[in-house]
Each structure stands twice: as C-alpha cells, then as structure tokens.
Amino acid sequence: MADRASDADIVSIPKVELHIHLNGSITEATALTLARRHGVDPAEGLKLVDGRYPGRYPNFEGFLDAYLAANQFVRTPDDLELVAAEFARGQAAQSIAYSEIIFTAMIFVRNGMEPASMWAALRRGLAVGGPDTRISIVVDAIRDLGAEEAAATVRLVEAADAPIVGLCLTGIEGTMPVETFLPFRADARRLGLGFTVHAGEMGPPESVEASLDVLGAERIGHGVAAIRDPALLERLIRDQVVLDVCPSSNVGIGEYPSLEAHPMTEFWRRGVRMTISSDDPPFFGTTLTDELRHLVRIAGLTRGDLITLQRRAIDASFADAATRAAVRARIDAWADA
Ligand code: ADE
Ligand code: ZN
C-alpha cells in the first residue's frame, strides 16, 4: 500500500478551494483594525469581536454572532480592499492555484458601500495574490432573508464588473421553503452562471435532496447530513454529485464532536465525489492546508489521492475552460515532477 501523503506534499501541491466565504475570512486582527478605524467604542462594538474567535461555537448561531460582528466593520471600499488583499495573500502563501470565493455582496451594500466602488475594491484586493493565485467569485444570497434579498443580489450581479462565475444559497436551512428560490435559480441559468447550495450542513438529508431535485444545484456546500441516509448516500455516489466539504466548520458549530467523528473518512472510502475547503477559516481556526492535513491524517490519503482531490476540484469548479486547463496543467506538472 502506498504511503500517506507527506506534509511537504500537502504544503506544495497546487491547491483548489471551492468553498470559502470572503465575509468569513476577516481575521480578528483586521476586524479590530477596522473597528478602530471607524471609531467604534471599544466597550461596545469591539466586545462583539474581541476574543470571539475560539474556533468552536455552541451552534451555528454562535458562529454567526462573531461573523456578523466582524462584517459590520467592513464599511468602505478601502476596508474591503484590505480584507480581500489579506485573503489573496493567504491563498498565495498556501499555493492555492484557484479559489472560488463566496461573497455576500448585500452585507457590504447594507453597510453603506456603493456597488461599483465595492466591486472595484474587491478586484484590486484580490489581484494582490498575483497571476498564479486565480480567484473567481460566487455571489450568495442568505436564505433566511427570503426572495427579495435574492432578487436584490441578482440586480447587483447584473450590474457588476467582476469575475463572477456563480450564484449560491447560504444561511440557515429550513428558514424558507426552497421553492422561494426558484427565481434565483432561474436567474443563474439566464446569466450563464453556476449554481450551488449550502445544504445538509445543519439541515436534514431532505434538504440535500430538495437542493438537487427542486433547485437543480450543480454542487452542494457541505452535504454531510447524507451520512444519515443510506439511500441518499448511494445516490450521491452513483450520480457523482460534488460535495464541497468543510470538516473544521462542521465540528466548529457542534455538528460533530471531533474531526475523527466527521463523515469525511467514510465519504472518501465510499467514493463520494467530495472536495475539501475551509469555509470561514479564521473563525474555525483553520486553513485549506490544515483541512487537507486532517483528511490525510485521519483517512490516510496518499500523494496520488491528494492529486486526485485537486484535479476533481478544478474539474468541478465554475471557472472557464482556459482557467481550468491552466490550473490542471499546474497540478499535472507538480504530479510529474
Ligand atoms: N455563511 C457563512 N458561513 C456559512 C455556513 N457555514 N453555512 C451557512 N451560511 C454561511
Ligand atoms: Zn459555507
């Protein structure tokens, strides 16, 4: 049997990350910098953020408190450029050749940012990673906020000058019937964009089924609830449905007691077509490199498996053909070296 992948392999392989929220990539230090920049009273605003990045939360709502607190300080295009540049530098430092970032544009618009300046700041910040750190954007609507929020999101996307490749539904499953988002799904088709849905994260297996059958999701964010439904698991394996799995995030909101108890190992062994991502990395005390380390340590992936995982991720991305070919060539070159 081949040896498990070495740490040097995990660090150096050109990586692909499909499920990472820019809004969830604001570090604690940057949140505090921005709070001070805006003269937020430390006794009030800062206490929402300061020391609130434990990596573990009692539940999803606990995570959301810290996440929304950090996001409220990103108010100007300069703030967003800082967040995006820090993000891009971090991806470059991890040899992440392609990232698909989930971007909740409406949060920043509600914070007072003018849309054209917001997109320009985002482009400037993301460019800091350099040409080998390709980054595309998937714009999400928070499902709890309903159909009008989704429609407003689409209007922003239609007017945007930015490398947007998809739409996404995030937020708390079950807060709205999935049919609420049929127009959002139709808009993705009309605009030629990919479509992905967070499902089976805290919600039940039926939430994954509805995302596939009602909304025609092309990828599922998380999908870990499928482990509780043998028929659904069989279907995901048979149809090779792509699940963008974020282990530390699921543990961090209390869905699983440990990474060892997380379904990633069984998914891998059974042949679920999963990709690995970090979701909201500083909030869960992780990085993509760390997530891959966990999978290699717990499920025993080899160097070849690691290559398979990255090839699979770029093939499942919403990137254009030229980008996919360029990233695949980098992975192939690394594999042959
Ligand atoms: N928004 C940011 N992170 C999220 C997650 N893990 N689930 C749903 N919505 C999110
Ligand atoms: Zn997510």
Side-chain angles (χ1 to χ4, degrees):
M1 223 172 88
D3 288 342
R4 66 183 53 194
S6 70
D7 200 64
D9 286 338
I10 298 168
V11 168
S12 65
I13 188 171
K15 289 177 267 299
V16 175
E17 180 157 41
L18 300 183
H19 182 160
I20 177 158
H21 300 256
L22 189 72
N23 303 69
S25 300
I26 307 164
T27 62
E28 182 165 10
T30 297
L32 292 170
T33 299
L34 296 178
R36 288 195 195 95
R37 181 183 280 184
H38 296 301
V40 175
D41 175 0
E44 288 307 313
L46 292 190
K47 76 175 181 218
L48 295 170
V49 174
D50 208 359
R52 286 276 185 116
Y53 279 69
R56 295 274 182 124
Y57 306 87
N59 48 35
F60 183 73
E61 287 75 8
F63 152 71
L64 213 53
D65 284 346
Y67 172 92
L68 292 175
N71 271 269
Q72 68 162 319
F73 301 131
V74 188
R75 297 180 186 174
T76 69
D78 281 352
D79 299 347
L80 178 60
E81 184 174 342
L82 178 72
V83 169
E86 187 176 29
F87 168 82
R89 261 185 232 108
Q91 299 299 90
Q94 290 183 75
S95 187
I96 302 181
Y98 178 77
S99 309
E100 228 155 74
I101 57 164
I102 304 168
F103 183 69
T104 319
M106 283 299 292
I107 287 187
F108 300 123
V109 170
R110 267 197 297 275
N111 284 356
M113 240 181 264
E114 187 274 315
S117 311
M118 171 182 75
W119 297 117
L122 180 59
R123 287 198 313 271
R124 282 195 305 276
L126 295 180
V128 165
D132 285 342
T133 304
R134 295 162 194 262
I135 302 174
S136 303
I137 304 165
V138 168
V139 181
D140 71 305
I142 300 174
R143 66 212 305 163
D144 332 12
L145 302 178
E148 179 41 41
E149 175 87 356
T153 299
V154 170
R155 289 194 290 276
L156 281 174
V157 167
E158 285 174 313
D161 177 8
I164 297 170
V165 295
L167 295 182
C168 175
L169 202 54
T170 56
I172 302 179
E173 291 166 71
T175 46
M176 294 276 161
V178 287
E179 290 78 8
T180 310
F181 302 104
L182 282 169
F184 187 55
R185 202 299 165 234
D187 284 330
R189 248 188 214 109
R190 175 174 60 80
L191 297 170
L193 297 171
F195 190 72
T196 169
V197 179
H198 278 45
E201 179 188 20
M202 8 183 185
E206 291 76 19
S207 170
V208 176
E209 284 168 338
S211 302
L212 295 170
D213 296 336
V214 180
L215 292 177
E218 294 166 73
R219 298 200 315 253
I220 297 290
H222 301 289
V224 285
I227 201 73
R228 310 201 299 264
D229 182 336
L232 174 60
L233 194 58
E234 283 298 332
R235 172 188 177 182
L236 298 179
I237 296 165
R238 185 191 67 226
D239 296 347
Q240 289 289 282
V241 174
V242 177
L243 306 186
D244 297 325
V245 174
C246 310
S248 292
S249 164
N250 301 143
V251 173
I253 63 165
E255 286 296 316
Y256 300 97
S258 67
L259 289 163
E260 284 73 13
H262 187 280
M264 63 180 171
T265 306
E266 182 151 0
F267 280 179
W268 177 258
R269 292 192 178 141
R270 296 280 306 276
V272 172
R273 199 167 184 88
M274 67 172 174
T275 73
I276 294 291
S277 289
S278 62
D279 208 8
D280 306 282
F283 290 90
F284 295 116
T286 193
T287 61
L288 175 59
T289 308
D290 282 344
E291 296 301 286
L292 293 171
R293 283 185 174 121
H294 299 319
L295 185 63
V296 166
R297 174 174 55 83
I298 296 167
L301 270 65
T302 65
R303 177 185 158 95
D305 294 336
L306 204 56
I307 296 166
T308 299
L309 208 53
Q310 305 315 313
R311 284 186 176 142
R312 198 185 257 182
I314 193 62
D315 290 351
S317 78
F318 298 142
D320 59 45
T323 301
R324 283 209 304 271
V327 173
R328 236 192 120 98
R330 273 191 67 191
I331 299 168
D332 292 349
W334 185 90
D336 293 342

